């Protein structure tokens, strides 16, 4: 699994956390284990406070997609340093490993996904990840491939879309909104190409791993892209998308990109500081200035 660290964040240190087990049984052992866990938690909090008091920075490790997530985190790094935290970011190129390394405890959090994907992942993989805070929204768009206008779509044309469960449904619903296909009644966030009820032009829907969709732009009539992969491919929503989800749509609330953590860690001081920083006025200004509408700050 290829990982790249951007220079602004530095080299990531990935460590496996060893979990202490208790072999005793019965009420006494359960009480002892609970006391031990509480003592360890109190000690860890005390060590973190001592570290900050001594002028040292407490680490926050985050797994992220390159664009825009890692870029936004790079902007947040000095702001977090002012709060006593050293932000370390590792970039991932897929949508699976960032969740697995948070589930395993190797990383504190990740920043790359929306809530429907997180829910679907938890159900499919048996993970225990939760939303610690919404940060931004990326409009999903239809982009030109070999053809520049949806009016030019012809019999048998191919349209490439992401193949993961929630993003596939999102792409299909966007194609429906623009009159290319019609989905079965009730087709929602788990819809697949099998739920297409009408396809007047017999368009071929080609599901691909999300990171691969932009790479077939010269082979398909159109491609439907996640916001981050569109940016990596050099597309700008406001200038290049033929059609896209609007900022005032329900999709903005449904598909907000979040900080995800393992259940139980959402209230830790470091995660609270991370979310507060990423939703601060300074980061909001950075997003609005740098992404030309391709990334929209999320406000509750």
């Amino acid at each position: 699994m290829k990982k790249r660290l951007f220079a602004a964040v530095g080299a990531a240190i990935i460590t496996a956390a060893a979990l202490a087990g208790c072999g005793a049984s019965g009420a006494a052992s359960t009480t002892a284990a609970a006391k031990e866990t509480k003592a360890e938690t109190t000690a860890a909090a005390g060590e973190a406070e001592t570290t900050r008091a001594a002028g040292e920075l407490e680490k926050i490790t985050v797994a992220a997609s390159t664009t825009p997530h890692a870029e936004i985190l790079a902007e947040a790094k000095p702001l977090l340093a002012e709060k006593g935290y050293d932000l370390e970011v590792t970039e991932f190129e897929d949508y699976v490993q960032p969740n697995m390394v948070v589930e395993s405890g190797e990383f504190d959090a990740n920043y790359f996904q929306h809530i429907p994907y997180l829910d679907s992942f938890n159900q499919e993989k048996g993970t225990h990840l939760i939303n610690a805070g919404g940060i931004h929204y990326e409009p999903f768009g239809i982009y030109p491939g070999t053809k520049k206008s949806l009016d030019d779509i012809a019999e048998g044309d191919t349209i490439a879309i992401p193949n993961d469960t929630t993003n596939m449904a999102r792409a299909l619903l966007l194609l429906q909104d623009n009159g290319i296909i019609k989905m079965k009644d009730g087709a929602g966030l788990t819809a697949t190409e099998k739920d297409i009820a009408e396809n007047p032009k017999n368009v071929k829907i080609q599901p691909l791993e999300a990171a691969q969709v932009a790479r077939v732009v010269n082979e398909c009539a159109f491609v439907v892209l996640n916001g981050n992969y569109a940016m990596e491919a050099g597309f700008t929503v406001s200038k290049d998308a033929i059609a896209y989800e609007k900022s005032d749509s329900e999709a903005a609330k449904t598909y907000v990109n979040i900080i995800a953590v393992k259940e139980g860690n959402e209230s830790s001081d470091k995660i609270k500081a991370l979310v507060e920083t990423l939703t601060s006025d300074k980061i909001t200004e950075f997003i609005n200035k740098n992404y030309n509408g391709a990334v929209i700050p999320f406000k509750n």
Side-chain angles (χ1 to χ4, degrees):
M1 163 61 197
K2 181 181 177 184
K3 307 176 184 176
R4 306 190 311 278
L5 292 178
F6 54 83
V9 179
I13 302 173
I14 305 177
T15 57
L19 300 179
C22 181
S25 61
S29 61
T30 301
T31 301
K35 288 181 178 178
E36 182 179 350
T37 300
K38 183 176 181 181
E40 289 174 350
T41 301
T42 302
E47 288 174 6
E49 192 64 33
T50 300
T51 295
R52 288 195 291 272
E56 299 177 18
L57 301 181
E58 182 182 358
K59 289 180 183 176
I60 305 176
T61 53
V62 180
S65 294
T66 300
T67 304
H69 308 80
E71 297 168 350
I72 295 171
L73 288 166
E75 189 70 14
K77 182 178 174 67
L79 302 179
L80 280 162
E82 294 175 1
K83 297 182 178 183
Y85 297 98
D86 177 21
L87 179 63
E88 293 187 352
V89 179
T90 302
E91 296 177 20
F92 287 77
E93 293 186 340
D94 77 318
Y95 283 175
V96 176
Q97 289 304 311
N99 275 338
M100 299 309 295
V101 296
V102 173
E103 174 72 15
S104 69
E106 295 177 59
F107 284 72
D108 295 315
N110 66 47
Y111 179 32
F112 77 97
Q113 67 193 316
H114 50 58
I115 296 170
Y117 181 81
L118 175 69
D119 291 343
S120 175
F121 192 95
N122 278 333
Q123 183 175 0
E124 292 176 6
K125 304 293 184 181
T127 46
H128 309 84
L129 307 174
I130 65 171
N131 171 19
I135 310 302
H136 77 265
Y137 160 67
E138 299 171 17
F140 219 71
I142 302 174
Y143 292 86
T146 58
K147 295 187 174 179
K148 307 303 180 185
S149 171
L150 293 178
D151 293 335
D152 298 332
I153 197 164
E155 186 81 14
D157 275 347
T158 298
I159 301 177
I161 67 173
N163 66 0
D164 57 276
T165 303
T166 53
N167 283 321
M168 174 184 285
R170 188 178 177 185
L172 291 170
L173 293 172
L174 182 59
L175 292 175
Q176 175 179 251
D177 289 343
N178 286 276
I180 298 173
I181 58 175
K182 183 176 180 180
M183 305 299 291
K184 295 177 182 177
D185 289 343
L189 298 181
T190 59
T192 71
E193 66 267 39
K194 295 179 181 179
D195 294 305
I196 297 174
E198 297 179 20
N199 188 353
K201 295 289 187 179
N202 292 314
V203 170
K204 179 182 177 182
I205 302 298
Q206 183 177 346
L208 297 171
E209 198 278 325
Q212 303 299 319
V213 177
R215 299 176 186 179
V216 298
V217 68
N218 295 320
E219 302 170 23
C220 300
F222 305 99
V223 295
V224 185
L225 296 173
N226 305 58
N228 59 315
Y229 287 127
M231 285 182 284
E232 287 182 15
F235 290 121
T236 299
V237 171
S238 59
K239 295 180 181 179
D240 301 311
I242 298 171
Y244 58 91
E245 298 163 335
K246 304 304 180 183
S247 60
D248 60 351
S249 68
E250 189 63 28
K253 299 176 183 178
T254 304
Y255 297 105
V256 56
N257 279 220
I258 62 172
I259 292 295
V261 301
K262 191 167 185 178
E263 187 175 4
N265 296 331
E266 65 275 11
S267 296
S268 69
D269 289 343
K270 66 168 64 176
I271 297 303
K272 287 182 177 179
L274 177 62
V275 172
E276 287 172 1
T277 300
L278 291 174
T279 55
S280 67
D281 290 342
K282 288 185 178 180
I283 296 300
T284 294
E285 182 180 352
F286 170 80
I287 291 173
N288 289 334
K289 180 179 179 181
N290 287 275
Y291 294 107
N292 297 313
V295 181
I296 300 171
F298 179 74
K299 299 296 183 183
N300 290 311

